[in-house]
Amino acid sequence: DIVMTQSPDSLAVSLGERATINCKSSQRVLYRPYNVEHLAWYQQKPGQRPKLLIYWASTRESGVPDRFSASGSGTNFTLTISSLQAEDVAVYYCQQYYTVPLTFGGGTMVEIK
Amino acid sequence: EVQLVESGGGLIQPGGSLRLSCAASGFTVTSKYMTWVRQAPGKGLEWVSIIENNGAAHYADSVRGRFTISRDTSKNTLYLQMNSLRAEDTALYYCASGQGFLTPLWGQGTRVTVSS
């Protein structure tokens, strides 16, 4: 199974400041024929269902604000919120969708400092 | 409107069975990969099962042999038959869908509590 490890577990950032979340996969999740990383990021606000933010490691889902960006390749990936807003308080999960069993990171809780 | 609506959760005794449903609208369940993901109270997301559009099914080790994923095209509904339930199966169960293994669309979840 591909193990997804996120860091940190939690993060407190001042409004308007940058938040960075890391995700490491135990194996590569690159689909070579299309040269795309099968890595997604989800946001889950308190009491709500998860929402897809990013797929193919760096492509924003439609409607996601451009303060959310992501990058990475190989086994190391990053989600960045460039200027934290109050509505961004949530738990963020990375997920590999390269192969079953699909696996999620443990989550990173982002709070306001 | 494209959406997923889960139902069927509840309180069940250990060893019991429950069938969860996920009604799809705005698309057909056979046109997408359909997934179940669960979230235990205060915990993270755990993938449970997926059925591909060709009908191939896959399961997490923790539920294989106890849970069965299926779909009914006439009702446009996804199911999760859960047998031999354990306390550790207590969770909010989400239905999700997408092209391939990616899941952009999620339902609101249905809660399952396994307790005597």
Side-chain angles (χ1 to χ4, degrees), chain B residues 11-14 86-87 90 113-116:
Chain B
L11 174 64
I12 187 77
Q13 291 191 338
R86 306 166 179 166
T90 293
T113 302
V114 184
S115 174
S116 55

Coordinates of all heavy atoms in Angstrom, one line a residue, chain B residues 11-14 86-87 90 113-116:
Chain B
L11 N -27.9 2.9 14.1 CA -27.3 2.2 15.3 C -27.5 0.7 15.1 O -28.6 0.3 14.9 CB -27.9 2.7 16.6 CG -27.5 2.0 17.8 CD1 -26.0 2.2 18.1 CD2 -28.3 2.4 19.0
I12 N -26.4 0.0 15.1 CA -26.5 -1.5 14.9 C -25.6 -2.2 15.9 O -24.5 -1.6 16.3 CB -26.1 -1.8 13.4 CG1 -26.4 -3.3 13.1 CG2 -24.7 -1.4 13.2 CD1 -27.8 -3.6 12.9
Q13 N -26.0 -3.3 16.3 CA -25.2 -4.1 17.3 C -24.0 -4.8 16.6 O -24.1 -5.1 15.4 CB -26.1 -5.2 18.0 CG -27.1 -4.6 18.9 CD -27.8 -5.7 19.7 OE1 -27.8 -6.9 19.3 NE2 -28.4 -5.3 20.8
P14 N -23.0 -5.0 17.3 CA -21.8 -5.7 16.8 C -22.3 -7.1 16.2 O -23.1 -7.8 16.8 CB -20.9 -5.9 18.0 CG -21.2 -4.8 18.9 CD -22.7 -4.6 18.7
R86 N -18.4 -4.3 13.2 CA -17.5 -4.2 14.4 C -17.6 -2.8 14.9 O -17.9 -1.9 14.2 CB -16.1 -4.6 14.1 CG -15.9 -5.9 13.4 CD -14.5 -6.0 12.8 NE -14.3 -7.3 12.1 CZ -13.3 -7.6 11.3 NH1 -12.3 -6.6 11.1 NH2 -13.1 -8.8 10.8
A87 N -17.2 -2.6 16.2 CA -17.2 -1.3 16.8 C -16.3 -0.3 15.9 O -16.6 0.9 15.8 CB -16.7 -1.3 18.2
T90 N -17.6 2.0 13.1 CA -18.4 3.2 13.5 C -17.7 4.4 12.8 O -16.5 4.7 13.0 CB -18.4 3.4 15.0 OG1 -19.1 2.4 15.6 CG2 -19.0 4.8 15.4
T113 N -23.3 3.7 13.5 CA -22.8 3.5 14.9 C -22.9 2.0 15.2 O -24.1 1.5 15.2 CB -23.5 4.4 15.9 OG1 -23.3 5.7 15.5 CG2 -22.9 4.2 17.3
V114 N -21.8 1.4 15.5 CA -21.9 -0.1 15.9 C -21.6 -0.1 17.4 O -20.5 0.1 17.9 CB -20.8 -0.9 15.1 CG1 -21.0 -2.4 15.5 CG2 -21.0 -0.7 13.6
S115 N -22.7 -0.5 18.1 CA -22.6 -0.5 19.6 C -23.7 -1.4 20.2 O -24.8 -1.5 19.6 CB -22.7 0.9 20.2 OG -22.7 0.9 21.6
S116 N -23.4 -2.0 21.3 CA -24.4 -2.8 22.0 C -25.1 -2.0 23.0 O -26.0 -2.5 23.7 CB -23.7 -4.0 22.6 OG -22.7 -3.6 23.5

